[in-house]
Amino acid sequence: MNQEIQNTLEILNKGGLILYPTDTVWGIGCDATNEEAIKKVYELKKRDDSKALISLVSDIRMLQKYVYEIPDAAFDIVELADRPTTIIYDRPINVAKNLIPEDNTLAIRVASDEFCQKLIRQFKRPIISTSANISGMPTPKSFSEIAKEILKGVDYVVNLHREKTNSRPSSIIKIGNDATVKIIRK
C-alpha cells in the first residue's frame, strides 16, 4: 500500500488524474485545489462543468480548512453515519474556483477507506472523487467494468482492491448554515 500511495502522490503533485478505489465505488481523482486538473476530470468524463464534483478529506480537522462554517449537525452525521455519507456544505474555501458551483456549495466526504485516508493525509489537500464513468453512463460496480476510455484517460491507476465490488455510491445530504437538512441521495 505504501508504494501505491507514493506513486499516486507523485501524479497528484504534478496535477495528474488518478483512478483509485474509494470507500464507495472506483473514482477518478485529482487535487481539489488545482483548476487545471479539475478541468481534465470534466473533459475525461465529458461532463458539464456546472455539475458538482465530490471532494474527499481525511478527517474533520482537514474538513475545517475547506468549509467556512461547519453546521453542528454535520459533526454528528460524520461521526454516526453507518455508511459513507457526503455532505454538501455552504461557503467552501481554499479549493479551486472551478470546483465551486454557482450556489457556492461543495460536496465533501470524510473518507473511511484506509488507502484514501492515508493518501489524503500525506497529500495534505482534498482530492476529487467522481465515479469512474463517462457522464450519463452507468457507474461501474467493479474495476473490470471501467471503460477503456477512462483507463486510458488517467495518468495512474492504483493497483489495489481491483477485485472489490461495490455498487453503492455514498449517501448525499445537504446541510445549510441555516440548519436546514435535505437528503439528496439515500
Side-chain angles (χ1 to χ4, degrees):
M1 182 180 297
N2 290 336
Q3 187 59 54
E4 285 301 312
I5 289 172
Q6 292 311 310
N7 295 345
T8 306
L9 286 171
E10 190 176 316
I11 299 300
L12 290 172
N13 282 316
K14 291 179 181 174
L17 303 187
I18 61 169
L19 181 63
Y20 67 113
T22 73
D23 46 2
T24 58
V25 297
W26 273 81
I28 299 168
C30 71
D31 179 351
T33 67
N34 182 323
E35 284 190 38
E36 289 303 313
I38 291 165
K39 280 184 198 173
K40 291 183 209 173
V41 171
Y42 280 115
E43 289 168 7
L44 178 59
K45 285 186 65 83
K46 298 179 178 157
R47 184 173 179 165
D48 183 344
D49 65 6
S50 67
K51 292 192 174 193
L53 297 172
I54 293 173
S55 296
L56 296 182
V57 295
S58 59
D59 53 39
I60 289 283
R61 205 168 70 238
M62 180 181 268
L63 174 65
Q64 292 172 318
K65 294 177 186 175
Y66 297 97
V67 177
Y68 182 76
E69 180 183 359
I70 300 172
D72 289 339
F75 292 101
D76 292 334
I77 291 169
V78 168
E79 190 167 319
L80 301 173
D82 59 354
R83 62 180 282 243
T85 302
T86 301
I87 299 175
I88 300 172
Y89 297 93
D90 289 335
R91 299 173 66 196
I93 54 174
N94 302 320
V95 294
K97 288 181 177 28
N98 61 343
L99 184 58
I100 303 170
E102 285 184 22
D103 66 356
N104 197 28
T105 62
L106 184 60
I108 303 176
R109 182 168 72 251
V110 175
S112 57
D113 174 80
E114 180 186 13
F115 170 76
C116 290
Q117 283 182 335
K118 286 182 176 182
L119 173 66
I120 297 164
R121 206 169 280 128
Q122 287 185 42
F123 188 52
K124 297 183 172 83
R125 294 186 295 280
I127 60 174
I128 296 300
S129 178
T130 183
S131 57
N133 61 316
I134 301 297
S135 191
M137 300 300 291
T139 299
K141 294 179 178 146
S142 65
F143 179 79
S144 63
E145 292 181 11
I146 298 171
K148 285 184 177 36
E149 187 174 356
I150 297 291
L151 292 167
K152 289 178 182 174
V154 297
D155 300 296
Y156 186 72
V157 179
V158 173
N159 191 19
L160 291 172
H161 311 301
R162 291 190 179 184
E163 71 294 334
K164 176 179 148 184
T165 301
N166 190 345
S167 60
R168 197 168 182 193
S170 68
S171 297
I172 300 178
I173 300 171
K174 182 175 186 344
I175 303 178
N177 285 343
D178 60 359
T180 58
V181 176
K182 181 179 180 185
I183 296 173
I184 307 294
R185 180 172 69 198
K186 275 190 166 184

